[in-house]
Amino acid sequence: MFMSKKEIINILKNNSNFETRENVIHFEKALEKLTKIQLSKSDTIELIMILDDENPHQEVLWGLLHFIEDSTNEEIFIKALFECTQKLLKKAPEWTQLFYIRLLNNQESRLMLKSMLLKEESKNYNIIIKIIKGISINESSPLSDYATFVIQYE
């Protein structure tokens, strides 16, 4: 049976509470179906917003995080993350920081992040800078150095 991208994403959302083993199975099967489909920025935002610090099944959410990173064009992923950072920060501050840490830890991603931040004019700009500045202060080297590099404009 063919399912649209929207239907698959709705299955993910509806099963992301993982209250039963069936929810986990439906979630993982839906995620597998998405691997064959190209994701847009809005699709990526919907997937990112499934993450929740209060969800007790963090290992399943790690699968979602890896899926998002592996299945989304890097530029689309960063644009999506920029757009939903403020909302994500409210419900999942740990996942939000983790996304930025993972971007900082990859040289190609770090350079793209810096380049896109220089052009970023959204309402989330100051929040994004604050997150990265926090990483530069609170994390050890080399991660703190990567964060400092990204937010330096000279």
Side-chain angles (χ1 to χ4, degrees):
M1 180 179 131
F2 174 78
M3 294 176 80
S4 72
K5 188 169 37 172
K6 195 74 166 160
E7 290 171 314
I8 296 169
I9 291 172
N10 282 334
I11 289 171
L12 288 168
K13 287 179 182 177
N14 294 335
N15 287 282
S16 65
N17 59 7
F18 309 124
E19 289 175 354
T20 67
R21 179 73 188 131
E22 284 182 347
N23 291 132
V24 174
I25 291 167
H26 289 309
F27 187 90
E28 289 176 341
K29 283 184 178 178
L31 203 53
E32 190 176 314
K33 286 180 183 177
L34 269 186
T35 60
K36 300 166 182 74
I37 301 172
Q38 186 169 9
L39 299 174
S40 68
K41 182 177 82 168
S42 62
D43 299 330
T44 304
I45 289 170
E46 287 193 69
L47 293 176
I48 290 170
M49 292 307 299
I50 291 172
L51 296 166
D52 186 345
D53 288 353
E54 300 302 315
N55 190 309
H57 298 278
Q58 298 293 305
E59 71 282 354
V60 181
L61 294 180
W62 269 99
L64 176 60
L65 176 135
H66 288 129
F67 172 81
I68 293 167
E69 290 177 335
D70 295 342
S71 302
T72 309
N73 166 291
E74 187 103 44
E75 186 174 352
I76 291 172
F77 167 65
I78 293 172
K79 284 180 180 179
L81 183 61
F82 280 4
E83 191 169 314
C84 70
T85 290
Q86 186 171 12
K87 283 174 65 177
L88 184 64
L89 198 54
K90 288 178 183 165
K91 73 179 253 190
E94 291 174 24
W95 286 107
T96 307
Q97 183 169 8
L98 189 59
F99 271 126
Y100 284 100
I101 286 172
R102 292 173 69 81
L103 286 170
L104 291 168
N105 265 325
N106 177 293
Q107 183 177 3
E108 189 176 311
S109 300
R110 184 170 54 249
L111 293 173
M112 185 173 285
L113 179 63
K114 180 176 180 110
S115 168
M116 290 174 71
L117 264 174
L118 290 171
K119 299 179 228 166
E120 181 61 21
E121 296 176 3
S122 78
K123 63 185 185 310
N124 290 332
Y125 175 82
N126 290 333
I127 294 165
I128 295 164
I129 292 296
K130 185 176 179 181
I131 291 167
I132 296 172
K133 195 174 279 188
I135 293 168
S136 75
I137 294 167
N138 299 317
E139 298 294 330
S140 57
S141 190
L143 186 57
S144 61
D145 299 330
Y146 299 158
T148 300
F149 164 78
V150 167
I151 56 177
Q152 284 180 332
Y153 300 112
E154 293 82 52

